[in-house]
Amino acid sequence: QVQLVESGGGSVQSGGSLRLSCLTSGLSFDDYAMGWFRQAPGKEREGVAALESYSRSYYAGSVRGRFTISHDNAKNTVYLQMNSLKPEDTAIYYCAATRRKWWLLLQSSYDYWGQGTQVTVSS
């Protein structure tokens, strides 16, 4: 079965960087699109970035130019490199997987989820 385990969260000052990792098992990046989502306190979960197999990547407008999604096939791992972090990036970040190839920034498109990792950005 598909399993996703996030790591790499933590606390950082505004302007800093973090790299989140999502170790996957039970899937192939040839067949699955991967996404990163986040949920801040009192807010709905929102799509941050998505990677369609080995081709297109998608980003929310609020993070475009600052965040980069990638994966390493040999390590079965998906990454989210986050630069120029802002306090409004504070949230729990989730990794997700789907066989779908559309609407990849919508949480309803995903079937598998990790447990989340906390990111806190202080001003």
Side-chain angles (χ1 to χ4, degrees), residues 8-83:
S11 296
V12 64
Q13 288 193 329
S14 182
S17 298
L18 281 174
R19 188 177 76 161
L20 305 183
S21 299
C22 173
L23 178 63
T24 74
S25 59
L27 63 79
S28 168
F29 295 139
D30 290 342
D31 302 320
Y32 282 79
M34 302 298 300
W36 284 97
F37 290 74
R38 67 185 181 188
Q39 187 165 20
K43 294 188 176 182
E44 292 189 357
R45 193 173 297 188
E46 63 172 350
V48 174
L51 183 58
E52 181 186 334
S53 188
Y54 292 97
S55 55
R56 293 183 177 182
S57 56
Y58 305 88
Y59 297 93
S62 59
V63 307
R64 189 175 294 117
R66 299 189 297 124
F67 290 11
T68 303
I69 186 172
S70 62
H71 55 51
D72 185 327
N73 199 39
K75 296 182 178 180
N76 297 319
T77 300
V78 182
Y79 301 101
L80 185 68
Q81 177 67 45
M82 306 185 295
N83 299 327

Side-chain angles (χ1 to χ4, degrees), residues 4 6 25 70 79 86 89 93 119:
L4 308 173
E6 302 96 334
S25 59
S70 62
Y79 301 101
K86 305 175 182 180
D89 295 318
Y93 283 71
V119 171

